[in-house]
Amino acid sequence: MKKSVKPVELLSAAVLLIVCCGGKVYAVTPFGTPMFCALSGAFFIGFVAPVYLLCAFLFTFEVWRLYTAGAVIFIMAVRWFAGLKLPRCDRYVAKTLFSIAAIVTETALSGLFMHITTAVITGVISVMFYYFAAKAAECARTRFARKFDPTEAAAMCVTLIVAGLAFGRAQADVFLIGLAPATLLVLLLAVMNVKFALCGGAAVALGLGLNADVALAPAFMAFVLTAVAFSRLPRVVYAVTAIGVYAAVAVLFFTEPIIIGWNALMMTAGALPFFILPRRAVRKVGAYFDFDGSARLAVRHYINRTKADAGNRMLAVSSVFDETARLMNAFSAPVPDYCAVGAALADRVCPYCQKYGDCDREKATAAFTALAERAHAGRAILSDLPQFFTESCARTVDVINAADAVTDGARERARERESEDKAKAIVTERLTAIKDVLEELGKSQALPVGFDGIAEDKIVAELNGNGVECAEAFCTREGVTAVVRTQSASREKIRRAVSACLKRDYEVTAVDKTQAAGWSVATLKKRPAYEAVYARAGLGKNGISGDSYTFERIGDKFLAALLDGMGSGAQASESSGAAVELISCFYRAGFDSQSVLAGVNRFLKLPATENYSAADVVVCDLDNATTDIIKIGSPPCYIKTTDTVLKIEGSSLPIGVLDEMRPFVTTKRMYPNQMLIMVTDGVSDCFAGDELPEFINGLSAFNPEKTVNAILTRALALSGGTPKDDMTAIAFRLFDAPKKKKQTELNI
């Protein structure tokens, strides 16, 4: 799709065409036709053709100019319409050949109305000027938004010389009207850039001197130098000072005072629009053309973004501890089963009692339950015995002794819990993990950035060639940062250009506006070679499943975890869900797998009861498909390929059983369209031997959703239609990144 033309671009094209048609050196006007040919290759010919035809006549008032201009327009119109049908006619070579043909045609026709020598000289100069006109037209096409290379800078200087020639012709009696636009042009160039002002002012001065008065060139150049030297002063001050310097230098060249006065008046008229421009507009003009300043934005933005990323990662680390503290405080000490404790007390005393057969067992059971509750609470047993033991029991002393033992055990466990709450061994463990993460951050910050200058030049050229105006770019190991014009910052164009230059797929992560007017910073990183599609199917034994799972994209890694909480119901769901949440949180913060699992294991041991989970944790690097599989007391998992199923099993106790855990860890290299399947024991126990991997191998589809659904349906059928335990199956499959990502979840 072609870049749309804006009004500012059309205005720039019209100005270039008018000044070139008006430029005259000695007796020839060779600049209008090549500029029209150059502009008609970049702008709509229906706009530039009328301007060219009108100017060709008005600057000379010679009717035959209309015929020659008409012939040129006809040839360029043919090229224009041919380019709409034939792409070859819209290329640089075709444009150049048609333009030269148009200039030669004009030269031949001009020979019929003027001396043949003059016509040939005009044609030769026109052909030579066409090269610079084409560059100037391209600069106008991009609204002068790119940093000029040497060729473009030379083209603009030559064009400004022609503009000076046109300004020098604009005279009415004693008034050199062309000084007004020349003055305004120089003042605007001074705001844009010092180099622009010096080079452009010198070019305009040369053109004025050739067509108006030789003495005007050094005087006008003195005006330019003064305007540049005092540009930091208020606009009125330095403009008036520069005009005064012009007058002083003009006197040295014996220019008549009346001429100096009229010229100074014309320069003041040209400076007047500059005086009344709002300060904000002047600053925007300067910022818009501050190419050097915009190039520095890339480095500044990179530093700020790096600091922001480091801060965000540290915040993620702190959120781990906040989440851990919240979840730890959410658990309270378990309430014992007083009926079971009372029954245990009765079993220790009653079988040895002579009245065992005659005892009222219902009253005895209630009394032992009440006694167990009082003993576990640490209350005085002797003074608060249930009435049954004081009136009906024949072995009250033995009962009191057994209850005292329960009381001592309860007190001991209370002391242990209090000691655990105070010690919080997890604090030391987490602090060590924090140290590791911060050390890693420090090392990454200390590494040199490592620029690639050759690639950077290619990216800048490619972006500009694709219509995205780029002032600067640099490449690092982490990615690419480029300073681009906000208006032309197309994410897709930027992505394609960078990917083509670096021969690797990149993705645009951000396009942030900057404080510089009209500039944005685009940040890109390597796109992972693979993506993952995943699904889950599950069923709870009692309505609420104690199994928990997660799928999460963390940077260039994909995390999949399946945890089977002990038992079923709300408590098991709470335990496994908290463990899954902590695993995700730790991985997001950048902890390694050993630190993650140790922290979760310590957390699950905090409640003073058995609280553990079997777990499968899989971390897949989406850049190279390297997959770490961590198994902790879980059933085997399976990798399905096109012709077989790989069974992965490991022996280790569940999380939360021992203080130090030794998980089974293995690393596999997965390939596109391979699928990894994980199940809880509620599913695996339904299958005998190798029946489950054989069933998976028999599935034809590599669709995770259909796979987990089929596994769960088969497990239900084998269990008689009623789940004997919580059932969950999850799966994910890798595919090439360019394909569309899909996320599904199914509960039946």
Side-chain angles (χ1 to χ4, degrees), residues 241-369:
T241 303
I243 294 173
V245 170
Y246 155 78
V249 174
V251 169
L252 298 177
F253 288 89
F254 305 102
T255 304
E256 296 181 9
I258 187 64
I259 299 299
I260 295 176
W262 290 123
N263 287 350
L265 181 62
M266 290 295 100
M267 295 175 73
T268 303
L272 186 60
F274 182 73
F275 294 160
I276 62 178
L277 275 177
R279 293 184 179 180
R280 181 181 300 179
V282 174
R283 285 196 297 268
K284 284 186 176 180
V285 171
Y288 189 84
F289 288 90
D290 184 17
F291 299 116
D292 294 331
S294 64
R296 293 191 297 271
L297 289 174
V299 176
R300 296 173 184 173
H301 186 82
Y302 178 80
I303 294 172
N304 290 334
R305 194 170 187 86
T306 302
K307 291 175 64 178
D309 290 343
N312 290 335
R313 191 168 179 185
M314 291 178 184
L315 288 175
V317 173
S318 67
S319 69
V320 171
F321 295 94
D322 181 69
E323 187 67 18
T324 303
R326 186 185 68 81
L327 292 174
M328 283 193 299
N329 295 330
F331 286 100
S332 58
V335 178
D337 187 350
Y338 296 119
C339 292
V341 177
L345 284 175
D347 290 341
R348 294 173 60 181
V349 177
C350 292
Y352 307 103
C353 180
Q354 295 177 354
K355 297 182 179 181
Y356 181 77
D358 301 329
C359 185
D360 187 344
R361 299 314 305 167
E362 184 176 350
K363 291 183 178 180
T365 300
F368 273 106
T369 300

Side-chain angles (χ1 to χ4, degrees), residues 346-627:
D347 290 341
R348 294 173 60 181
V349 177
C350 292
Y352 307 103
C353 180
Q354 295 177 354
K355 297 182 179 181
Y356 181 77
D358 301 329
C359 185
D360 187 344
R361 299 314 305 167
E362 184 176 350
K363 291 183 178 180
T365 300
F368 273 106
T369 300
L371 181 63
E373 183 176 0
R374 294 167 187 173
H376 196 275
R379 293 158 58 182
I381 301 300
L382 189 59
S383 61
D384 197 17
L385 274 175
Q387 187 177 1
F388 173 82
F389 295 114
T390 59
E391 295 178 356
S392 304
C393 184
R395 299 181 65 95
T396 303
V397 176
D398 294 334
V399 171
I400 292 174
N401 291 335
D404 286 340
V406 173
T407 302
D408 292 341
R411 290 172 178 171
E412 180 64 26
R413 285 192 296 273
R415 285 193 293 270
E416 290 176 357
R417 287 197 300 270
E418 183 180 0
S419 177
E420 280 189 11
D421 291 340
K422 291 180 180 179
K424 299 295 183 186
I426 193 174
V427 174
T428 302
E429 188 174 296
R430 293 302 94 210
L431 287 175
T432 302
I434 289 178
K435 185 268 295 181
D436 294 338
V437 173
L438 293 178
E439 185 178 8
E440 181 184 350
L441 281 173
K443 290 180 179 179
S444 65
Q445 294 295 320
L447 289 175
V449 175
F451 299 97
D452 187 345
I454 297 176
E456 291 166 1
D457 293 340
K458 290 181 179 179
I459 290 171
V460 172
E462 185 73 15
L463 286 173
N464 286 322
N466 283 277
V468 179
E469 300 155 15
C470 180
E472 183 67 21
F474 68 89
C475 304
T476 66
R477 286 180 292 270
E478 290 76 20
V480 177
T481 303
V483 180
V484 296
R485 285 288 183 191
T486 302
Q487 280 189 326
S488 62
S490 167
R491 284 175 173 260
E492 182 61 21
K493 288 184 178 180
I494 294 172
R495 184 195 66 78
R496 288 203 306 263
V498 173
S499 299
C501 291
L502 299 181
K503 301 186 184 322
R504 170 70 189 269
D505 285 337
Y506 276 74
E507 58 185 0
V508 180
T509 58
V511 178
D512 303 322
K513 291 184 179 180
T514 66
Q515 294 180 348
W519 291 103
S520 293
V521 175
T523 306
L524 301 94
K525 70 173 185 178
K526 294 178 182 177
R527 176 181 290 179
Y530 308 102
E531 285 291 355
V533 59
Y534 50 83
R536 172 259 185 187
L539 184 65
K541 175 183 177 182
N542 298 317
I544 300 177
S545 176
D547 301 338
S548 297
Y549 70 97
T550 185
F551 299 104
E552 189 167 354
R553 170 80 177 270
I554 304 174
D556 291 338
K557 297 183 183 297
F558 177 74
L559 169 67
L562 176 62
L563 275 77
D564 181 2
M566 185 188 69
S568 61
Q571 184 175 358
S573 176
E574 181 183 8
S575 173
S576 62
V580 164
E581 191 173 357
L582 277 178
I583 287 174
S584 297
C585 193
F586 277 123
Y587 272 112
R588 285 196 303 270
F591 288 95
D592 57 35
S593 297
Q594 186 62 35
S595 297
V596 171
L597 298 176
V600 175
N601 182 68
R602 179 75 67 177
F603 166 71
L604 291 179
K605 284 187 62 63
L606 286 177
T609 184
E610 290 184 343
N611 187 27
Y612 54 83
S613 295
D616 275 317
V617 180
V618 176
V619 182
C620 179
D621 190 331
L622 296 176
D623 196 44
N624 53 30
T626 300
T627 306

